[in-house]
């Protein structure tokens, strides 16, 4: 006979297929990204045929870059994969994500020159404006300083709430609105912190077989930098350069 008084075993967190790529989702418009979206709507108007997107981690730079590339049929490269004399794919334009994390400065310099010679539009994305990228090559530094740049500011209240809902929906987590409001009042006001909190809660809920409650969230996020405080110095740290090169 089944012993109904015995405690239920904890559900194991098994490897599951990844959810749909974030790049496939529409950009959530907000005052913080209005400038960038306006520039991306008119690539033909970019001065010199170039544009750089910049902003904190997880604010949508990659989503915007890859979305434009997909709509326009542009290939996408990544900075950590740029080495030597990179081949420049044919086409009307090209996008480089994590361009500020270039593996070799000379490779990015060559790519900029070749794109200009061929008349290809070029979109870069990085965390800081290109004029502030720590490059040693004087010629590359001068080209980056002359490049128009569109900044993405930290998200507003409405966008933070929409981001939290999106992250939960992507992970098929049903979280009551009251719990979401409680979380937003305690999480750092940064998109990266929202994404990390959703990921931690997803793992905890799956492992314990529980729904996301305030108690679960409090226990799970207790060590998340900045959670439950108003101290800006405790804000969630910005994500650095990718640890390994990737080419898409």
């Amino acid at each position: 006979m089944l012993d109904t008084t015995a405690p239920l075993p904890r559900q194991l967190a098994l490897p599951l297929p990844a959810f749909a790529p974030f790049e496939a989702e529409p950009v959530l418009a907000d005052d913080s990204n209005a400038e960038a979206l306006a520039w991306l709507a008119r690539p033909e108007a970019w001065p010199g045929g170039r544009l750089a997107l910049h902003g904190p981690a997880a604010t949508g730079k990659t989503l915007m870059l890859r979305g434009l590339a997909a709509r326009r049929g542009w290939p996408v490269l990544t900075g950590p994969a740029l080495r030597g004399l990179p081949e420049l794919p044919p086409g009307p334009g090209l996008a480089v994500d994590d361009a500020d994390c270039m593996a070799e400065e000379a490779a990015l310099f060559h790519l900029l020159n070749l794109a200009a010679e061929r008349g290809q539009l070029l979109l870069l994305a990085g965390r800081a404006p290109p004029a502030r990228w720590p490059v040693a090559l004087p010629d590359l530094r001068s080209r980056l300083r002359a490049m128009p740049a569109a900044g993405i500011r930290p998200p507003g209240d409405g966008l933070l709430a929409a981001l939290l809902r999106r992250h939960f929906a992507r992970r098929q987590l049903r979280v009551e609105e009251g719990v979401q409001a409680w979380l937003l009042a305690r999480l750092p006001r940064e998109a990266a912190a929202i994404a990390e909190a959703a990921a931690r809660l997803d793992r905890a809920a799956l492992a314990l077989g529980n729904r996301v409650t305030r108690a679960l969230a409090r226990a799970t996020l207790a060590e998340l930098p900045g959670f439950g405080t108003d101290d800006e110095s405790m804000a969630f740290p910005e994500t650095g350069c990718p640890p390994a090169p990737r080419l898409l």
Side-chain angles (χ1 to χ4, degrees):
M1 177 179 293
L2 178 64
D3 183 3
T4 58
T5 63
L8 293 176
R10 298 202 313 174
Q11 182 177 349
L12 296 178
L14 301 176
L16 297 174
F19 41 74
F22 192 55
E23 290 81 0
E25 298 178 354
V27 176
L28 298 172
D30 181 68
D31 289 344
S32 60
N33 58 28
E35 177 189 10
L37 291 176
W39 276 103
L40 293 176
R42 301 182 299 121
E44 293 76 12
W46 296 349
R50 300 175 181 179
L51 179 68
L53 298 176
H54 64 89
T59 50
K61 299 184 301 295
T62 293
L63 175 61
M64 295 181 192
L65 178 143
R66 294 184 182 275
L68 177 66
R71 293 191 300 272
R72 296 271 176 161
W74 296 0
V76 177
L77 306 178
T78 62
L82 292 180
R83 298 180 181 276
L85 299 177
E87 292 289 335
L88 195 61
L94 175 71
V96 183
D97 200 8
D98 297 316
D100 56 337
C101 299
M102 71 204 87
E104 296 177 2
E105 293 183 7
L108 181 59
F109 179 66
H110 173 75
L111 185 145
L112 291 174
N113 288 340
L114 196 54
E117 292 174 7
R118 295 184 179 180
Q120 289 180 296
L121 297 172
L122 183 62
L123 176 63
L124 308 181
R127 292 158 298 164
R132 291 169 45 195
W133 295 358
V135 298
L137 288 176
D139 288 341
L140 175 59
R141 188 164 58 246
S142 65
R143 282 164 173 73
L144 292 175
R145 286 178 176 174
M147 183 176 297
I152 304 172
R153 303 192 307 276
D157 292 342
L159 183 53
L160 286 172
L163 285 173
L164 186 62
R165 289 194 300 270
R166 170 176 280 186
H167 284 299
F168 284 150
R170 290 171 65 209
R171 291 172 168 80
Q172 299 182 354
L173 276 177
R174 293 185 178 181
V175 183
E176 295 179 358
E177 291 186 5
V179 176
Q180 293 190 40
W182 182 87
L183 285 167
L184 288 169
R186 288 158 179 79
L187 286 169
R189 298 178 53 79
E190 298 182 2
I194 297 292
E196 177 64 16
R200 294 190 185 196
L201 290 171
D202 184 30
R203 291 192 295 267
L206 181 60
L208 298 174
N210 291 340
R211 62 190 179 92
V212 177
T213 62
R214 293 188 184 185
L216 177 65
R218 185 181 292 107
T220 302
L221 304 179
E223 297 182 358
L224 181 69
F227 179 72
T229 75
D230 296 324
D231 185 357
E232 294 183 358
S233 66
M234 294 287 290
F236 193 77
E238 181 175 290
T239 300
C241 293
R246 64 185 191 278
L247 178 61
L248 298 177

